[in-house]
Amino acid sequence: MIGIYIHIPFCAAICNYCNFNRGLHDDGLRRRYVDALVTDIRSCASPDITADTIFFGGGTPSLLESAELARIIAACRDSFAVADDAEITIEANPESSTAAALAGFRAAGANRLSFGVQSFKDEELRRLGRLHSSQTARQAVKEARAEGFDNLSLDLMMWLPGQRTEDWLASVDARIEQQPDHASLYLLEIYPNAPLRDEMARAGWSVAPDDDAAEMYLEGLSRLDRAGFEQYEISNVARPSSRRSRHNRKYWQEGQWLGFGCGAHATFNGERWRTVSSTAEYIDRVTAGQDVRLDRRRLGEVERREEALFMGLRLTSGLDLAAMQLRHGIDIWAQYGQDLAPYVTAELLIHEPGRRLALTRNGMLLANDVMAVFIGGTVR
Ligand code: SF4
């Protein structure tokens, strides 16, 4: 079963830290984009391809009208064998998630909502240039439940400018009060030219020291543990396990997915490609019947193996050593054990010989260091 990713590149305002493929929302442009998306999806129709997830990411997919969402989902269902019980996720911003919009999304077929809440502190939301308040977020959760969404994820970002450990933990507690089914916690990464950098310099905001960021992560997860959530990936927890993101597991566990819309990526049948990133170019090319897919290439065995190693290690279940041997013909411990052993000694990594290799929670803080062991190696 593959996943289908659909990119919706429109936002009502541009957040000062954002590095995603997005632009300002415009009604006319959105309508033309949806027409192009539907045409593109239908032109790739292949009823033999089975899919069990559709994920609308952005940008702000909740800016779509429900009829547009329904058209895109219908195009997917007509073009591919989409499972009846497919997980259909829409990323939503609280300010565009009115009761009417949510009812429409539900009727259109979406059954999972991922709210970009980011913080329950209004001051922090203002610093990030977000349009919603903590109250808007609470209201959106309430409306979503009332409209029958029983698979709700709330995203929070930590290590925000001016954020102290207690501020972060207050947001974590507020999130727990909302009783989501799934929660993600991301570290804010401020890219070099982000307008937020200038604002931080002007306002004298700084981010907490590294040690505090580590404490934020560990204590935030402890509170989620105590509230009954189960961590299953570095940045993700769910309650119960049936609410784990089915779509994202395709990225972590060597799955396959098709991507539609500007800037979407795809990995399918051993190949990878991307779609043109400009919204206008995407519309023009689809309308003119031209190909929108670029840089199509076959994935090499080394690349597939390295990616399987570092993506798989993101999961708390870790790497299944026997499965890796079977799929990639590699004895991971024989190959990398010498470099990995110090991490096991430091209790950052768990090695169950012949069975599994997994990061401990402390190890997740240093995941990049551990994963670097896998990059550029040659099989012995
Ligand atoms: S809403 Fe999300 S995608 Fe849009 S500008 Fe803000 S961070 Fe970027």
Side-chain angles (χ1 to χ4, degrees):
M1 292 270 192
I2 68 152
I4 299 173
Y5 175 81
I6 294 169
H7 193 71
I8 306 296
F10 307 111
C11 291
I14 304 301
C15 304
N16 56 17
Y17 60 90
C18 179
N19 202 15
F20 297 123
N21 188 28
R22 80 294 179 262
L24 274 179
H25 178 231
D26 172 274
D27 265 326
L29 186 63
R30 191 199 69 242
R31 281 193 211 104
R32 291 201 301 281
Y33 184 75
V34 171
D35 287 344
L37 256 180
V38 168
T39 303
D40 187 19
I41 294 167
R42 291 192 184 278
S43 75
C44 295
S46 183
D48 295 342
I49 295 178
T50 56
D52 65 348
T53 65
I54 302 177
F55 191 102
F56 289 84
T60 309
S62 52
L63 287 172
L64 287 175
E65 291 187 354
S66 53
E68 294 170 335
L69 186 72
R71 272 182 74 205
I72 300 168
I73 293 174
C76 291
R77 288 200 178 276
D78 292 347
S79 307
F80 307 104
V82 178
D84 289 343
D85 67 344
E87 174 190 273
I88 303 182
T89 304
I90 176 163
E91 285 184 339
N93 279 356
E95 74 279 358
S96 52
S97 299
T98 59
L102 292 169
F105 296 154
R106 188 87 186 96
N111 52 26
R112 183 171 185 268
L113 272 179
S114 177
F115 276 127
V117 175
Q118 317 312 359
S119 166
F120 278 97
K121 292 255 171 191
D122 290 342
E123 184 55 34
E124 290 176 355
L125 290 168
R126 273 195 293 275
R127 279 181 209 149
L128 295 175
R130 301 293 305 205
L131 293 179
H132 67 274
S133 67
S134 56
Q135 184 48 33
T136 320
R138 287 187 176 89
Q139 188 61 27
V141 170
K142 204 166 136 196
E143 306 282 13
R145 291 300 194 199
E147 296 304 334
F149 280 99
D150 65 354
N151 197 353
L152 208 60
S153 182
L154 301 185
D155 288 4
L156 286 187
M157 287 195 309
M158 52 172 272
W159 217 30
L160 304 179
Q163 185 182 53
R164 298 160 304 170
T165 305
E166 58 262 40
D167 300 324
W168 159 250
L169 294 176
S171 271
V172 172
D173 289 343
R175 172 164 63 180
I176 290 169
E177 271 168 32
Q178 296 305 307
Q179 303 189 329
D181 306 283
H182 183 280
S184 305
L185 47 157
Y186 299 112
L187 202 71
L188 174 66
E189 286 180 45
I190 310 174
Y191 68 96
N193 297 325
L196 178 57
R197 271 192 195 276
D198 293 338
E199 291 177 38
M200 287 173 69
R202 271 199 305 274
W205 303 325
S206 54
V207 293
D210 287 1
D211 282 354
D212 289 6
E215 189 194 342
M216 287 178 181
Y217 177 75
L218 295 174
E219 181 53 26
L221 282 173
S222 295
R223 290 188 185 198
L224 289 160
D225 291 343
R226 292 198 290 278
F229 290 89
E230 198 183 336
Q231 185 184 13
Y232 68 100
E233 196 265 349
I234 289 182
S235 303
N236 289 283
V237 304
R239 183 185 57 187
S241 60
S242 62
R243 293 297 185 247
R244 294 176 182 185
S245 166
R246 238 196 265 170
H247 185 82
N248 286 343
R249 286 179 78 90
K250 309 217 184 268
Y251 305 141
W252 299 319
Q253 290 189 306
E254 299 185 69
Q256 304 189 82
W257 64 94
L258 295 177
F260 296 97
C262 56
H265 289 244
T267 298
F268 184 69
N269 261 350
E271 290 189 332
R272 178 162 293 168
W273 63 88
R274 67 181 180 89
T275 308
V276 288
S277 51
S278 148
T279 306
E281 190 182 352
Y282 177 78
I283 296 171
D284 289 347
R285 282 200 188 206
V286 171
T287 309
Q290 294 166 352
D291 196 1
V292 288
R293 279 158 260 284
L294 309 171
D295 303 335
R296 188 184 288 265
R297 66 195 171 85
R298 181 147 284 282
L299 292 170
E301 170 48 30
V302 173
E303 186 178 4
R304 287 200 309 116
R305 187 183 70 233
E306 287 178 354
E307 199 167 290
L309 290 170
F310 62 74
M311 293 305 271
L313 208 56
R314 294 187 62 90
L315 295 164
T316 52
S317 54
L319 294 167
D320 179 329
L321 297 177
M324 289 301 296
Q325 175 92 55
L326 206 64
R327 273 204 295 273
H328 298 281
I330 182 175
D331 179 335
I332 293 176
W333 195 256
Q335 168 72 13
Y336 302 104
Q338 213 174 328
D339 296 324
L340 293 172
Y343 294 108
V344 176
T345 309
E347 299 185 355
L348 299 172
L349 200 58
I350 300 164
H351 175 220
E352 296 170 9
R355 285 194 60 230
R356 145 183 124 97
L357 190 69
L359 290 166
T360 62
R361 194 169 276 177
N362 279 331
M364 287 177 178
L365 289 164
L366 294 172
N368 287 345
D369 293 3
V370 180
M371 289 169 185
V373 168
F374 298 133
I375 308 292
T378 49
V379 178
R380 282 182 187 132

